[in-house]
Amino acid sequence: MKNIMFCSCGRRVQLFKFLKESLGDSCKIIATDVQSIAPALYAADEHYLTPRIDAPNYVDTILKIAIDNDVKAITTLIDPEIELLAKNRDLFEEYGIIVLAPSKETAAYCFDKYKMFCYLKKNNIRTVLTYDTLEHFKEGHNKHEISFPVFIKPRTGSGSVGIHKCSNMNELENYFSEGKFDYIIQEFMDCEDCDADVYIDCYSHKPVAAFSKNKLETKIGGASKTISFKDQRLFDFIEEICQVLEFNGPVDMDFWYKDGQYYLSEVNPRFGGAYLHAYGAGVDFFKLIQNNMEGKVNESIIGKYDDGVLMMMYDSVVIVSKDELVK
């Protein structure tokens, strides 16, 4: 049996339910988290508590769990851990475990939004104009490279924490003076946005599945209602992006659509929160992971889904007794 391990599983219960629906008894889900009250732990076949990801013994802990449970692929469901897995790829691969995370270089770009901007610009990938300091922005503003309103966000943040729209220099300077985050300043994209769940084969490093959707409603930093669409121009752009960044496995890409062209906004190289939509529309990443665990190169299924399929998220719960909590 070839098992999959999800580190820092958090609330991703439905993801695990869909995995079991797809792969059945041919694959066990091994889940870890730092908290015993992480709901997804109780949707897994085996579950473990671990130290924090910044603890000195963290990597040794998850490696031992993986070896003990015949794990053949490992991934994480939080952004700060992606780079950690990428840096320790060789260690896991010694034991025949595929790391579903980007190369070290790509992981660093994905985590640092300004480094990503510079790298994409250097490689002629359309993206959002970005400045790393207030002084740098003022220079660009004085040269009429950018105008208000602008958008600010933490340079290494995730979700919607710390993001603000600023209409003038006074607002912008006030946020920077608070010193809460290391902000980047971006062009305000007054246009449509969309995203794509993409699977990049772990052997060919080519995208073999892409499911694109427009956001109808967003809550707590993620899309809660979406509708599928297909556009070959977006699929072609995803191919371009994957030629300059090295991914392995599931990736969530965010885009802007302006004046007939797509612009890359952000990349989260893990299962996106709204991947559930892709699975529900028939784009099954779990089988692609299973093929890679078996040493097979996946063939492309890009575009093999229907337009106009909606996803509508709703809340659910996990109920366990106190005695059942992981110790």
Side-chain angles (χ1 to χ4, degrees), residues 140-191:
H141 187 253
N142 290 335
K143 294 176 183 176
H144 305 290
E145 294 172 354
I146 189 169
S147 59
F148 286 98
V150 295
F151 201 64
I152 65 170
K153 62 177 73 169
R155 181 167 174 161
T156 58
S158 60
S160 57
V161 177
I163 64 173
H164 304 282
K165 179 183 177 182
C166 297
S167 300
N168 54 60
M169 192 67 76
N170 188 48
E171 281 185 26
L172 186 62
E173 289 176 337
N174 284 342
Y175 280 118
F176 270 80
S177 67
E178 291 174 357
K180 287 185 178 179
F181 298 101
D182 181 11
Y183 283 116
I184 57 169
I185 306 166
Q186 293 188 319
E187 171 188 7
F188 182 74
M189 300 293 281
D190 188 15
C191 57

Side-chain angles (χ1 to χ4, degrees), residues 1-4 30 65-73 97 293:
M1 187 177 289
K2 293 177 170 58
N3 302 326
I4 304 176
I30 316 301
I65 293 169
I67 294 169
D68 289 348
N69 286 278
D70 295 322
V71 165
K72 296 303 177 188
I97 302 167
M293 289 194 298

Side-chain angles (χ1 to χ4, degrees), residues 30 78 83 103 106 108 118 187 204 210-211 213 232 266 278 290 319:
I30 316 301
I78 61 169
E83 201 168 355
S103 68
T106 293
C118 294
E187 171 188 7
S204 70
F211 177 83
K213 54 197 183 292
Q232 188 59 47
E266 289 189 21
Q290 188 174 56
I319 304 293

Side-chain angles (χ1 to χ4, degrees), residues 71-88:
V71 165
K72 296 303 177 188
I74 187 170
T75 189
T76 179
L77 295 172
I78 61 169
D79 294 328
E81 192 173 2
I82 292 167
E83 201 168 355
L84 183 66
L85 289 181
K87 287 177 178 177
N88 287 278

Side-chain angles (χ1 to χ4, degrees), residues 4 6 14-24 26-27 197-201 208-211 249-250 271 275-293 298-306:
I4 304 176
F6 292 86
Q14 189 60 50
L15 182 73
F16 290 178
K17 287 183 177 180
F18 280 161
L19 190 156
K20 294 305 290 184
E21 179 182 282
S22 171
L23 302 185
S26 67
C27 174
D197 296 292
V198 183
Y199 189 87
I200 293 87
D201 189 85
V208 292
F211 177 83
F271 274 104
Y275 166 72
L276 305 174
H277 188 179
Y279 178 83
V283 184
D284 188 343
F285 285 9
F286 307 123
K287 285 188 167 61
L288 302 178
I289 293 172
Q290 188 174 56
N291 286 340
N292 278 163
M293 289 194 298
N298 285 292
E299 295 182 4
S300 176
I301 55 169
I302 290 175
K304 293 187 177 181
Y305 61 90
D306 292 332

